[in-house]
Amino acid sequence: MESANITLDIYNILIDIIILLAIFTSGINKRNTRDMGRMRKWFQTIVFINLAMSGVDIFIQLFDGKSRPANVIILPAAAFLYYCAAFLLLYSSAKCISALLDQVRRPKKGRKFFSGLLIFSAAAYSVLLISTPFTGLLYRINEDNFYSRGDFIFLALAVQMLMYAGLFVYLLVNIKTIHPFKIIIMAAFIFFPQTAQIIQILFPGFSLVNTGYSLVFIIMFIFSNSFAEGRLKNAEDEIQDKSTEIEKNRLQIIKMQKHTIKTLSNLVENRNVGSGDHLGRIKEYVEILAAQLREAGYCKDVLTPDYVKLLKMAVPVYDIGKIVVPDDILKKQGPLTPEEDEQLKRHAKEGGKIVHEILDGYESHEYIKIASDIATYHHERWDGLGYPDNLSGEKIPLGARIMAIIDSFDSMVAPKNDKARMAYDEAFEAIENGIGVNFDPTIAREFLKIKHKAMEINERHKENASAKNKFFFRPFSS
């Protein structure tokens, strides 16, 4: 019988160690939802106690009798620790079940009664345990150092049954709040240890309580891990659904933003008298000038393909600040008064603000930076006499320095009432004279190297505009 009990205890220890390792390496420990934290803590505590209890039981089996002098000390100590662990195991099980009940919907009915019952049981069992070495209530060790149950062991069993009865009532009162998974766990907590206890009472030589708890641990671990995985999957699905909804909303907002930008840009462009396809020309100028600069190795760390792509995307907003300029100033044919000129200059600062108001929080930081820079600083000059902040040299953002030349060139040669505002030679001469004064010297020189491409772009857009005008305004035939 002794060897059978030791074998069972060894199996229990191995099971407990395996379960502890599984807890610390699997989803029940690392990926569980937050509300399972308390239950997991108590579950780990129970496994540790059962592990210790099985070890102590081995000591009782090995040191029962007077074969060694140390037995007189080891056996009483082991017996006392065994009964301490037995109650701690029972108490921790009740706390684990309480934590399990609290996970989804905290039960209110009978909670104070159950808590009071736990406290009373702990106090009663403590009195029995502390008095046992002197009275032999729970267990006895005779003069030959042999262990046996005490005459009042039924008191400990009564305390145990009282706790389980209270637990049963607690579950029954709150049955509507209990998940089926939890019912399985709690039924296992009640059935297996109690069955083992009954067998142990009927056959005193067997030590089965630890084995009963080991079976509970296996069932609880399997179902808890499965439950945790299920809840995690549900949480992931919910997060995925919310993420998809958020992404749809974000894309919808971006679509609305682009529509707003296009509408404002078209409004600004249409207010400029006779400018034709202004933004279309600007995008093409940006493309050919950026390619020329990249071929020349200018600012190669900044002027990447991604940067050029974002710069072209930002073209529609570069003059968006003109939305705040009154029509009588924007369309005025003659020179502006100083007051009108100051009002016109407002568009640079306002353009940067509008870009941030429309795009912040929904577009990439890099795109917003490029768009804001060209809207705000495309009227700055290399010599520092531009506006709005009198920046000079390379303090002016690269995109704004590129846009400064392109915007100036287009304003000089763009068609106005089917006539160029300035001859190409005069426009290129003006850009050459602006090298180091109005414009970045390197960018200006590289632009002059591709002036034939710039002329081709402007001429093509003039022809397209002329063809459209002929189509829309041809006289009706009789």
Side-chain angles (χ1 to χ4, degrees):
M1 187 68 68
E2 178 184 309
S3 60
N5 288 334
I6 291 175
T7 302
L8 279 175
D9 286 328
I10 291 173
Y11 280 139
N12 293 334
I13 289 172
L14 291 174
I15 290 171
D16 293 340
I17 291 174
I18 291 170
I19 289 175
L20 285 173
L21 290 173
I23 289 173
F24 288 113
T25 58
S26 69
I28 195 172
N29 188 58
K30 293 183 178 179
R31 294 180 294 167
N32 57 302
T33 52
R34 187 178 65 178
D35 59 357
M36 293 189 72
R38 286 178 60 238
M39 188 203 74
R40 188 188 70 245
K41 182 184 72 173
W42 282 109
F43 182 45
Q44 291 171 347
T45 302
I46 296 169
V47 179
F48 274 118
I49 294 173
N50 197 60
L51 180 63
M53 192 174 173
S54 297
V56 171
D57 191 49
I58 291 175
F59 274 85
I60 292 175
Q61 302 292 331
L62 292 176
F63 292 93
D64 189 25
K66 277 190 174 179
S67 58
R68 297 187 187 91
N71 290 15
V72 178
I73 298 173
I74 295 176
L75 183 62
F80 184 80
L81 291 175
Y82 182 85
Y83 278 84
C84 284
F87 180 74
L88 288 175
L89 195 59
L90 184 63
Y91 181 82
S92 300
S93 299
K95 294 295 291 185
C96 184
I97 291 174
S98 178
L100 190 66
L101 280 170
D102 290 347
Q103 283 180 29
V104 178
R105 189 184 303 165
R106 186 177 294 272
K108 301 184 183 297
K109 297 178 182 179
R111 185 175 182 79
K112 290 183 179 180
F113 167 76
F114 184 62
S115 298
L117 187 61
L118 285 179
I119 295 171
F120 171 78
S121 301
Y125 194 90
S126 298
V127 171
L128 290 173
L129 184 61
I130 293 171
S131 62
T132 291
F134 310 102
T135 61
L137 291 175
L138 301 180
Y139 63 87
R140 289 193 306 268
I141 299 176
N142 63 19
E143 62 274 8
D144 294 325
N145 203 46
F146 280 99
Y147 163 84
S148 64
R149 290 178 180 174
D151 295 333
F152 295 91
I153 186 66
F154 67 88
L155 293 176
L157 297 178
V159 171
Q160 180 175 325
M161 294 305 296
L162 183 64
M163 287 183 64
Y164 276 116
L167 176 61
F168 180 77
V169 172
Y170 188 42
L171 298 180
L172 191 62
V173 170
N174 297 283
I175 191 69
K176 292 182 179 179
T177 68
I178 303 173
H179 192 280
F181 151 76
K182 298 176 184 179
I183 294 176
I184 295 173
I185 298 301
M186 288 177 253
F189 260 115
I190 294 173
F191 177 76
F192 286 102
Q194 287 306 298
T195 302
Q197 186 75 64
I198 292 170
I199 294 173
Q200 192 163 309
I201 291 172
L202 295 175
F203 303 96
F206 284 103
S207 181
L208 296 176
V209 174
N210 305 78
T211 304
Y213 273 104
S214 294
L215 290 173
V216 171
F217 298 156
I218 293 172
I219 294 171
M220 185 174 183
F221 176 76
I222 292 172
F223 278 91
S224 295
N225 200 44
S226 176
F227 184 69
E229 293 289 346
R231 296 199 64 184
L232 178 65
K233 180 64 168 61
N234 291 338
E236 288 176 344
D237 290 343
E238 185 177 347
I239 291 171
Q240 181 64 35
D241 291 342
K242 289 182 178 179
S243 298
T244 302
E245 184 178 351
I246 290 171
E247 182 62 18
K248 286 181 180 178
N249 291 337
R250 191 183 75 86
L251 292 175
Q252 185 64 27
I253 291 172
I254 290 174
K255 184 177 179 180
M256 292 171 62
Q257 286 174 327
K258 290 180 177 179
H259 179 72
T260 301
I261 290 171
K262 184 177 180 181
T263 301
L264 293 175
S265 300
N266 288 338
L267 180 60
V268 170
E269 186 172 359
N270 291 334
R271 292 171 70 201
N272 287 323
V273 178
S275 62
D277 186 15
H278 172 63
L279 295 178
R281 294 191 303 270
I282 295 294
K283 284 184 179 180
E284 292 193 51
Y285 293 145
V286 166
E287 188 170 16
I288 63 170
L289 179 53
Q292 179 66 24
L293 292 171
R294 279 176 51 79
E295 186 177 336
Y298 182 70
C299 291
K300 58 183 180 181
D301 293 338
V302 179
L303 203 60
T304 62
D306 286 340
Y307 182 92
V308 176
K309 179 181 177 181
L310 294 176
L311 185 60
K312 288 176 63 180
M313 286 174 56
V315 165
V317 302
Y318 96 95
D319 238 0
I320 203 168
K322 284 184 177 177
I323 199 73
V324 303
V325 181
D327 274 353
D328 57 344
I329 295 176
L330 199 60
K331 296 181 178 182
K332 188 173 181 179
Q333 297 297 316
L336 302 178
T337 65
E339 292 78 13
E340 291 171 337
D341 190 49
E342 286 302 314
Q343 278 194 284
L344 179 62
K345 289 180 179 179
R346 284 181 55 225
H347 84 274
K349 281 282 189 184
E350 294 300 324
K353 291 179 183 178
I354 292 170
V355 167
H356 281 287
E357 287 172 358
I358 296 175
L359 301 179
D360 274 353
Y362 296 97
E363 290 286 0
S364 69
H365 173 75
E366 187 178 6
Y367 172 64
I368 294 173
K369 179 76 167 58
I370 292 172
S372 176
D373 282 346
I374 65 173
T376 306
Y377 301 118
H378 67 280
H379 285 293
E380 296 286 3
R381 291 171 36 143
W382 187 260
D383 61 6
L385 298 180
Y387 65 89
D389 293 335
N390 304 118
L391 300 180
S392 62
E394 293 186 356
K395 292 180 181 178
I396 305 169
L398 176 61
R401 301 200 311 264
I402 292 173
M403 195 61 65
I405 292 177
I406 290 172
D407 184 55
S408 296
F409 175 74
D410 191 71
S411 66
M412 288 186 281
V413 302
K416 182 180 181 181
N417 298 327
D418 294 327
K419 294 181 181 179
R421 297 180 181 180
M422 185 181 292
Y424 288 122
D425 289 343
E426 293 178 273
F428 291 129
E429 184 179 354
I431 290 175
E432 190 169 1
N433 292 335
I435 293 175
V437 180
N438 297 79
F439 311 122
D440 179 322
T442 303
I443 295 177
R445 291 190 182 101
E446 293 301 323
F447 181 76
L448 292 174
K449 290 180 183 179
I450 55 169
K451 56 186 179 182
H452 61 287
K453 293 183 180 179
M455 289 188 292
E456 288 174 1
I457 290 171
N458 192 56
E459 288 299 317
R460 186 174 70 254
H461 279 270
K462 277 177 24 178
E463 290 174 3
N464 291 341
S466 177
K468 286 181 182 178
N469 288 338
K470 288 179 180 178
F471 176 81
F472 284 111
F473 297 106
R474 68 180 185 270
F476 291 104
S477 57
S478 56

